[in-house]
């Protein structure tokens, strides 16, 4: 995952690829106009209702079934788990579970800190993901189907979001369970939901006084 911290173009910015071990990698780049990484990080500390997630994706998001007790509104989502129901483009609705981790676990504390100080990263979100009402969980409550990463880098127009999904980790035959069609549907879902988010996030952020910031006056 460490190459994602480099702002230079990567061989795969948007698309899918299959690793030698059978895992399916879904890559998505989304330009979030008017948004900054701090707003994206704040969003994960704010949204908590079905209405909120339907703002995020009016077509695919069906139901927010709640955060667990580790989520602290306005403070932290690291260590928290979420349960929701959503479609993936043309794939019908399915339950999804995510447990959020410190992104330093994925990138290394020193490397992530250096990228942040250099301005190459302005927000990082890392989670373990699982699908279905009976998603497999390990002893720590981590879903076993795959990993999800979102990395933001601030730009003059807003920020660039790089998203990666690593699917099929819980399967003995990942290439069978994480089919290419699933990856392409997830790609479309991810690009669409963050495009929608970018269109209202700044207003919600300033309206809710996110991070204690005052809204800039246009006049």
């Amino acid at each position: 995952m460490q190459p994602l911290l480099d702002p230079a173009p990567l061989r795969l910015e948007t698309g899918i690829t299959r690793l030698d071990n059978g895992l399916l990698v879904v890559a998505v780049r989304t330009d979030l106009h008017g948004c900054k990484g701090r707003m994206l990080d704040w969003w994960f500390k704010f949204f908590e209702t079905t209405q909120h997630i339907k703002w995020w994706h009016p077509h695919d998001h069906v139901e927010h079934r709640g955060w667990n007790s580790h989520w602290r509104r306005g403070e932290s989502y690291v260590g928290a788990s979420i349960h929701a129901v959503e479609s993936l483009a043309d794939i019908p609705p399915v339950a999804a579970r995510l447990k959020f981790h410190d992104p330093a676990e994925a990138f290394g504390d020193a490397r992530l800190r250096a990228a942040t100080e250099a301005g190459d990263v302005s927000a990082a979100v890392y989670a373990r993901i699982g699908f279905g009402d009976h998603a497999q969980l390990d002893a720590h409550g981590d879903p076993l189907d795959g990993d999800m990463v979102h990395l933001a880098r601030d730009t003059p127009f807003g920020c660039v979001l790089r998203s990666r999904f690593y699917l099929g980790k819980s399967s003995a035959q990942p290439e069978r369970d994480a089919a290419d069609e699933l990856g392409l549907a997830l790609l479309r879902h991810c690009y669409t939901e963050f495009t929608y988010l970018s269109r209202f996030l700044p207003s919600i952020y300033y309206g809710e006084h996110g991070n204690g910031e005052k809204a800039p006056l246009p006049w």
Side-chain angles (χ1 to χ4, degrees):
M1 293 187 187
Q2 287 202 3
L4 292 174
L5 299 175
D6 188 341
L10 299 175
R11 292 178 63 86
L12 181 66
E13 291 282 1
T14 297
I16 64 174
T17 190
R18 184 78 60 178
L19 301 181
D20 291 341
N21 60 8
L23 294 184
L24 183 66
V25 179
V26 180
V28 190
R29 174 193 161 117
T30 313
D31 291 342
L32 307 184
H33 290 267
C35 297
K36 298 297 183 181
R38 66 183 186 278
M39 298 179 182
L40 182 68
D41 182 74
W42 172 87
W43 172 250
F44 283 87
K45 303 171 187 174
F46 171 78
F47 78 86
E48 60 177 335
T49 69
T50 294
Q51 181 185 38
H52 290 157
I53 68 168
K54 285 188 173 182
W55 292 345
W56 197 354
H57 199 316
H59 298 279
D60 285 4
H61 288 169
V62 176
E63 181 184 2
H64 178 80
R65 292 182 174 174
W67 292 93
N68 70 358
S69 60
H70 293 286
W71 184 74
R72 299 189 299 280
R73 193 174 195 267
E75 296 182 15
S76 178
Y77 55 89
V78 173
S81 296
I82 188 174
H83 189 194
V85 178
E86 57 188 54
S87 303
L88 297 178
D90 297 329
I91 297 176
V94 63
R97 290 183 180 272
L98 297 87
K99 183 177 178 182
F100 292 87
H101 284 250
D102 185 334
E105 295 180 25
F107 297 101
D109 186 65
R111 183 68 182 89
L112 181 59
R113 188 187 310 112
T116 301
E117 292 174 353
D120 295 337
V121 172
S122 57
V125 178
Y126 171 50
R128 311 281 173 81
I129 57 179
F131 300 101
D133 287 314
H134 305 288
Q136 295 185 53
L137 306 177
D138 67 12
H140 303 288
D142 283 310
L144 297 175
D145 288 339
D147 295 332
M148 177 191 79
V149 172
H150 299 299
L151 281 181
R153 173 174 55 85
D154 287 353
T155 67
F157 66 76
C159 68
V160 171
L161 183 68
R162 278 175 170 165
S163 302
R164 293 293 185 277
F165 301 86
Y166 301 83
L167 304 179
K169 294 183 69 174
S170 64
S171 175
Q173 294 180 292
E175 68 280 358
R176 180 197 65 192
D177 288 352
D180 288 359
E181 290 76 12
L182 171 64
L184 292 170
L186 179 56
L187 187 161
R188 184 154 40 129
H189 169 90
C190 179
Y191 177 84
T192 302
E193 70 176 349
F194 282 105
T195 298
Y196 278 134
L197 182 65
S198 71
R199 292 172 180 170
F200 69 82
L201 180 56
S203 294
I204 294 293
Y205 177 82
Y206 287 120
E208 293 287 334
H209 304 287
N211 297 321
E213 288 190 50
K214 292 184 178 180
L217 292 171
W219 191 327

